[in-house]
């Protein structure tokens, strides 16, 4: 249980709106072949999801694209010992401020970077996850329908919302 969660989220929303009001993001639709930098935000609590993301990152990097990924776990102390590297950073609630805004340098760098696309491969609609998606300066934001709807530029409605299915849809519709 998080103390004063609703009040902290309310203040966090106010600070996010204040921040995003200043920054005007230009949305640019690009095909996969035109991407140079790719940002990926995913739920790192599932072992299957982590495997899928790592395979997808290897595939994108083999095509000569830069990839930066953040895996988020909704807890202060992850049960598993996840080790970050230069491509994937694993974050938890400890990486966020009192108002659930990013405070860790790696996450601040991730949201201030301007990749061609941000792929949101999570169904976790927590406030810290929402803050990362809202504050990202990516040229195009893609994810699941029904989650972060107002913050994403392209959404895919899937009967079984898994990262595998979303990656398949992205490759089909943005790959041609």
């Amino acid at each position: 249980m998080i103390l004063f969660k609703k009040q902290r989220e309310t203040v966090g929303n106010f600070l996010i709106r204040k921040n995003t009001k200043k920054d005007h993001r230009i949305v640019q639709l690009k095909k996969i072949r035109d991407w140079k930098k790719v940002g990926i935000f995913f739920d790192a609590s599932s072992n299957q999801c982590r495997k899928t993301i790592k395979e997808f990152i290897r595939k994108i990097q083999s095509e000569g694209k830069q990839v930066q990924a953040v895996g988020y776990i909704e807890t202060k102390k992850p049960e598993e010992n996840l080790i970050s590297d230069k491509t994937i950073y694993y974050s938890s609630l400890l990486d966020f401020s009192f108002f659930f805004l990013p405070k860790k340098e790696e996450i601040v760098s991730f949201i201030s970077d301007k990749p061609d696309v941000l792929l949101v491969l999570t169904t976790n609609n927590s406030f810290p996850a929402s803050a990362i998606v809202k504050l990202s300066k990516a040229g195009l934001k893609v994810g699941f329908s029904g989650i972060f709807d107002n913050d994403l530029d392209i959404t895919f409605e899937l009967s079984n919302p898994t990262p595998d299915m979303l990656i398949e849809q992205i490759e089909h519709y943005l790959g041609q």
Side-chain angles (χ1 to χ4, degrees):
M1 186 176 126
I2 299 173
L3 194 62
F4 301 115
K5 184 178 180 186
K6 288 289 183 196
Q7 292 83 356
R8 290 164 62 183
E9 287 178 354
T10 302
V11 173
N13 261 328
F14 170 76
L15 295 172
I16 288 173
R17 278 195 310 275
K18 187 177 173 186
N19 251 353
T20 55
K21 207 180 261 190
K22 294 176 191 174
D23 297 330
H24 295 287
R25 189 175 64 90
I26 298 172
V27 178
Q28 296 179 337
L29 178 63
K30 292 183 178 182
K31 297 285 187 180
I32 292 175
R33 67 177 174 269
D34 299 329
W35 295 349
K36 290 177 180 48
K37 289 175 90 176
V38 179
I40 299 174
F41 180 70
F42 66 98
D43 181 11
S45 60
S46 160
N47 192 28
Q48 179 60 37
C49 184
R50 289 192 304 266
K51 282 183 181 178
T52 301
I53 299 303
K54 285 180 182 180
E55 289 172 17
F56 186 58
I57 288 173
R58 271 188 244 119
K59 182 178 178 183
I60 292 174
Q61 286 177 331
S62 71
E63 296 171 1
K65 298 170 186 0
Q66 264 187 301
V67 180
Q68 180 91 29
V70 170
Y72 176 68
I73 299 174
E74 180 77 22
T75 182
K76 284 191 177 186
K77 284 193 172 188
E79 294 174 13
E80 298 180 28
N81 190 14
L82 300 174
I83 299 172
S84 300
D85 58 19
K86 62 181 179 179
T87 304
I88 301 174
Y89 178 74
Y90 294 103
S91 66
S92 66
L93 281 173
L94 294 175
D95 297 330
F96 293 86
S97 70
F98 184 74
F99 299 115
F100 304 113
L101 298 177
K103 71 174 182 181
K104 195 75 164 188
E105 182 181 331
E106 290 85 354
I107 299 176
V108 172
S109 161
F110 179 77
I111 61 174
S112 61
D113 196 17
K114 295 183 180 180
D116 296 319
V117 65
L118 174 66
L119 304 175
V120 183
L121 303 173
T122 182
T123 56
N124 182 355
N125 196 9
S126 67
F127 188 82
S130 176
I132 289 176
V133 174
K134 287 179 182 180
L135 292 171
S136 174
K137 294 175 179 37
L140 181 68
K141 298 178 185 179
V142 180
F144 294 108
S145 178
I147 304 165
F148 313 118
D149 268 345
N150 295 333
D151 304 316
L152 299 175
D153 304 313
I154 296 176
T155 60
F156 292 93
E157 186 172 339
L158 303 170
S159 58
N160 183 17
T162 62
D164 293 330
M165 294 296 292
L166 184 59
I167 289 170
E168 184 181 307
Q169 295 298 311
I170 290 169
E171 288 175 336
H172 178 75
Y173 288 104
L174 296 178
Q176 303 292 317

